[in-house]
Amino acid sequence: MAVKITAVSKQLPQYTRYTKDILPYVESWLAGQEVRFKRKVLKIFENAAVDKRYAIMDAEEVFLKTSFEEKNDIYIRESIKLARAALKKVLLKAQLQPIDIDYIITVSCTGIMIPSLDAYLINDLQMRQDVMRLPVTEMGCAAGVSAMIYAHNFLKSNPNKRAAIIAVESPTSTFQLDDFSMVNIVSAAIFGDGCAAAILSSYENESGPEIIDEAMYHFYDETHMMGFKLRNSGLQMVLDQSVPETIAAHFPNIINPFLERNQLSIQDINHLIFHPGGKKIVQTVEDLFGSLGKNIDDTKEVLKQYGNMSSATVLYVLERFIDRNLPSGDLGLMLSFGPGFSAQRILLKW
């Protein structure tokens, strides 16, 4: 049974700053640090390939010493607002009503919320009382694609059903004010906040790129590479510097067998819809595909305009392709990486 992605919409948080406007806050934060270290940190921000980012709180609040409870309360309040707006927007784009959704998947890893986000959306939008719920909370940057895989598996077994996916993330809520490690600094330099929603459908008469295949790939013995540690001060980022090299080493096993089982090679793929993890990961992927005449220009542009918004980011990239009305028969490959360590892949056909 064909499952199609009928609409994708992003929803931006209310606050935005260019990187150049964030630097004075970073300098104030670094007061008392050694001069050479300050210069190094500022260079990391300047060279992160992120020109602008959005956030659920203004820069003054990000650099304000507050408790985990206070930051998480902001995360809950603003995530509900963003998710509600994103879902309304994507339903309008797909010409649907909230009661038309049979399965709702909400995705987030940058805060803690029980009841989960989907419960608030069901109440706020008066969705059906028998709608199926799946909150995905611990898969990090990979979860946007993971949610599509879960939706696809539900829909391909259930004709005439629709699934809504909402990914909302606030990495700025996880910034650690008393942590001057490179991991905290690099994370602050590349991440931003964002939200996106998508509608998937198993109705025959609805249009959009069809999911031809999907798969997950799990790296053995790499659980240390990415994630969060729960501290009294909040969620502390874990990001190993070996991530780009590890991805590069596994890339042939991630891509080639997946395409081969669909009688394809990378040369057959028209569009690369990749999650922009950060500048180094983007450069790694670009080096791997550049020699094949493929580009990830949309991935780079999303990183430049919004930063890495964890699970929501790949949906920002996907929206750019879906809104272009691409030629029938074009093939797209979605890819994201996340804690575990894992890679998630989807093959699309327009």
Side-chain angles (χ1 to χ4, degrees):
M1 179 174 300
V3 176
K4 298 170 184 175
I5 305 169
T6 60
V8 181
S9 293
K10 63 180 174 290
Q11 181 65 38
L12 298 171
Q14 61 177 311
Y15 299 104
T16 183
R17 295 265 181 165
Y18 286 93
T19 297
K20 62 181 176 62
D21 298 322
I22 294 172
L23 295 180
Y25 294 95
V26 177
E27 286 191 82
S28 297
W29 173 59
L30 294 170
Q33 299 293 312
E34 196 264 334
V35 173
R36 277 187 9 183
F37 179 73
K38 287 182 183 179
R39 284 203 295 264
K40 181 179 180 180
V41 172
L42 293 173
K43 281 293 182 187
I44 289 171
F45 273 81
E46 290 170 344
N47 297 327
V50 180
D51 285 0
K52 184 172 64 171
R53 74 201 73 210
Y54 292 77
I56 65 170
M57 61 190 89
D58 208 354
E60 287 85 355
E61 284 186 284
V62 176
F63 289 93
L64 192 65
K65 192 170 182 63
T66 51
S67 68
F68 181 25
E69 180 182 355
E70 290 169 313
K71 283 279 172 64
N72 198 67
D73 283 347
I74 296 172
Y75 160 84
I76 293 171
R77 183 189 71 222
E78 297 302 320
S79 291
I80 293 169
K81 288 180 187 176
L82 284 171
R84 184 194 302 123
L87 183 51
K88 284 182 175 180
K89 187 184 288 187
V90 80
L91 286 169
L92 182 64
K93 193 181 259 189
Q95 298 182 317
L96 298 172
Q97 298 297 319
I99 57 170
D100 296 323
I101 300 301
D102 304 282
Y103 189 27
I104 180 170
I105 304 176
T106 50
V107 176
S108 192
C109 70
T110 44
I112 298 171
M113 188 188 307
I114 303 172
S116 52
L117 181 61
D118 46 11
Y120 294 94
L121 296 175
I122 291 166
N123 281 285
D124 289 352
L125 276 70
Q126 290 292 285
M127 301 176 76
R128 292 212 325 259
Q129 288 184 290
D130 63 349
V131 66
M132 292 184 64
R133 298 167 53 195
L134 176 62
V136 180
T137 59
E138 295 166 349
M139 296 188 75
C141 296
V145 175
S146 303
M148 288 197 162
I149 292 174
Y150 302 144
H152 177 244
N153 278 279
F154 169 80
L155 292 169
K156 71 181 181 182
S157 302
N158 292 279
N160 300 326
K161 301 288 185 183
R162 299 184 187 92
I165 293 166
I166 305 97
V168 57
E169 302 283 11
S170 175
T172 57
S173 299
T174 71
F175 176 69
Q176 300 290 300
L177 199 67
D178 297 325
D179 180 2
F180 294 95
S181 68
M182 277 297 113
V183 171
N184 191 47
I185 289 162
V186 170
S187 300
I190 65 174
F191 281 100
D193 299 350
C195 180
I199 303 292
L200 283 74
S201 172
S202 58
Y203 281 84
E204 285 187 21
N205 63 340
E206 295 188 355
S207 61
E210 180 183 348
I211 296 178
I212 302 300
D213 198 5
E214 34 81 358
M216 298 186 180
Y217 177 95
H218 304 290
F219 297 53
Y220 288 132
D221 303 319
E222 302 290 2
T223 53
H224 65 281
M225 288 211 312
M226 186 182 290
F228 284 113
K229 289 181 180 177
L230 182 55
R231 304 294 196 193
N232 289 335
S233 55
L235 295 167
Q236 183 183 48
M237 177 67 71
V238 174
L239 186 62
D240 195 281
Q241 63 181 3
S242 68
V243 168
E245 292 78 12
T246 305
I247 289 173
H250 284 258
F251 225 78
N253 290 333
I254 294 169
I255 299 296
N256 296 335
F258 177 66
L259 293 177
E260 286 167 4
R261 78 186 194 187
N262 290 282
Q263 292 78 53
L264 297 169
S265 71
I266 193 63
Q267 284 82 1
D268 298 310
I269 302 300
N270 305 102
H271 312 290
L272 302 178
I273 307 159
F274 288 2
H275 169 76
K279 182 180 178 180
K280 286 188 177 180
I281 294 176
V282 166
Q283 287 175 338
T284 298
V285 174
E286 195 167 38
D287 290 343
L288 290 164
F289 284 111
S291 61
L292 300 172
K294 308 293 179 181
N295 72 75
I296 53 168
D297 292 347
D298 286 278
T299 290
K300 291 193 294 184
E301 188 61 24
V302 167
L303 182 66
K304 180 180 178 182
Q305 294 296 329
Y306 310 103
N308 179 351
M309 300 162 285
S310 192
S311 65
T313 327
V314 74
L315 299 179
Y316 278 57
V317 182
L318 178 62
E319 183 189 33
R320 296 168 67 90
F321 286 94
I322 288 183
D323 287 355
R324 283 182 190 141
N325 297 315
L326 295 172
S328 178
D330 274 15
L331 294 171
L333 179 63
M334 289 186 72
L335 178 67
S336 64
F337 299 93
F341 192 69
S342 67
Q344 323 289 327
R345 298 148 292 170
I346 292 178
L347 178 64
L348 297 174
K349 185 175 183 180
W350 269 261

